Amino acid sequence: MVEAVREEKQGERRIMIQPQNQNSITYTRVIHLSHVIDIDIPQWSGDPPVEFETVAELNNDGYYLRRFSLGEHSATHINAPNSFHSYAVGIDQYSAQSLVVPAVVIDIRQATAVNPDYALTIADVLAWEEEYGEIYPGCVVILNTGWQKKWFDKSAFLNHDSQGIAHFPGFGSDATQLLLDERQIVGVGIDTHGVDPGQDNSFTINHLMLEKPRIVLENLTNLDQLPPKGTTLAIGILRLRGGSGSPVGVLALVP
């Protein structure tokens, strides 16, 4: 049973969700962290195109309906463990509880403006903690790289060089290992097309994160609207049987 309590505070409505015998979530704003899915979004090389086909029209059928097709790792999406580990679970095996999680945001925009290949370091994590407190277990760590602003320019977003190598920022392996081992985080997220830096074609960070059914979110947006800490994510997956991932609707509940 869930009870919703509404409060008024300084002219702003606050909504508190209070599940019985569970933690409460208090928020004042809800923000979409997912891009709109369209046919011309940036796509990883080799991914199937996004396609829409009208199959029913109001004038002829009395209702409007389309068929759509896209890859499991297209648009704003989540990667499942079986996309990198053959023995692991698919996206349909994530529990509902695991998809409502607290989040912290580390802003590395200054570094990525100078170096598009920048990877999060342990020093970055410790500097964030010096200001905001130690990253707590059970949260998702999100990187705000500023890349969301490049979304409508596919060339700039993927940033391929003349050899076809992508150049965009991501998580560094040492920092990720620290977050997993010493902070016990449950996931990572980013506004680029991969939590791995674009040059890393071995997908090191995905492998590290997805050895267990953790969360990997890619192509997030509106990260500049989130505070460094206090946000709760509600991640809406498509429960695709055996899916290697899924496009997601990610809502940020901001205090």
Side-chain angles (χ1 to χ4, degrees):
M1 179 178 178
V2 176
E3 178 184 4
V5 179
R6 288 175 173 81
E7 301 176 344
E8 297 292 331
K9 185 174 182 180
Q10 296 180 347
E12 192 172 40
R13 187 175 72 169
R14 299 174 63 85
I15 302 176
M16 181 180 294
I17 299 176
Q18 295 180 312
Q20 286 188 347
N21 302 319
Q22 295 185 22
N23 293 330
S24 297
I25 302 171
T26 303
Y27 62 93
T28 61
R29 293 181 294 142
V30 182
I31 299 171
H32 279 297
L33 299 190
S34 298
H35 288 284
V36 173
I37 299 174
D38 207 343
I39 59 173
D40 58 351
I41 62 173
Q43 290 276 73
W44 196 260
S45 178
D47 278 0
V50 179
E51 297 177 334
F52 295 96
E53 179 187 357
T54 300
V55 296
E57 296 182 336
L58 283 170
N59 291 341
N60 297 326
D61 305 288
Y63 63 96
Y64 174 53
L65 175 67
R66 295 189 303 177
R67 175 190 295 117
F68 69 90
S69 174
L70 71 163
E72 292 176 326
H73 295 197
S74 293
T76 303
H77 63 274
I78 184 172
N79 298 340
N82 67 352
S83 60
F84 292 95
H85 300 281
S86 60
Y87 56 83
V89 301
I91 196 61
D92 55 307
Q93 296 299 307
Y94 278 63
S95 69
Q97 184 174 348
S98 71
L99 297 170
V100 179
V101 287
V104 302
V105 181
I106 300 178
D107 189 337
I108 60 169
R109 286 177 290 181
Q110 285 189 342
T112 63
V114 176
N115 178 12
D117 297 314
Y118 192 81
L120 182 75
T121 66
I122 292 176
D124 293 325
V125 174
L126 297 180
W128 186 96
E129 292 184 327
E130 181 69 23
E131 187 168 359
Y132 302 108
E134 186 170 296
I135 293 170
Y136 41 87
C139 74
V140 169
V141 174
I142 295 175
L143 278 193
N144 179 6
T145 74
W147 233 247
Q148 64 186 43
K149 293 183 178 180
K150 303 176 186 286
W151 180 253
F152 295 105
D153 183 340
K154 288 184 281 188
S155 176
F157 191 79
L158 294 167
N159 198 26
H160 289 116
D161 62 23
S162 58
Q163 283 75 46
I165 299 172
H167 295 273
F168 54 76
F171 286 80
S173 57
D174 289 345
T176 302
Q177 202 70 66
L178 169 77
L179 292 169
L180 286 170
D181 296 343
E182 299 187 27
R183 302 299 183 265
Q184 297 179 339
I185 65 168
V186 298
V188 291
I190 199 166
D191 53 359
T192 70
H193 218 311
V195 292
D196 296 279
Q199 292 188 89
D200 183 2
N201 58 14
S202 63
F203 304 107
T204 303
I205 306 306
N206 269 285
H207 280 280
L208 283 172
M209 291 303 307
L210 295 174
E211 288 179 338
K212 297 180 180 180
R214 296 189 178 93
I215 291 168
V216 171
L217 296 169
E218 297 173 333
N219 290 338
L220 294 168
T221 190
N222 292 329
L223 301 185
D224 53 335
Q225 298 183 42
L226 302 184
K229 60 190 296 186
T231 295
T232 298
L233 303 183
I235 305 166
I237 64 170
L238 297 175
R239 299 189 70 194
L240 306 170
R241 180 74 67 187
S244 69
S246 163
V248 287
V250 184
L251 297 178
L253 309 179
V254 180

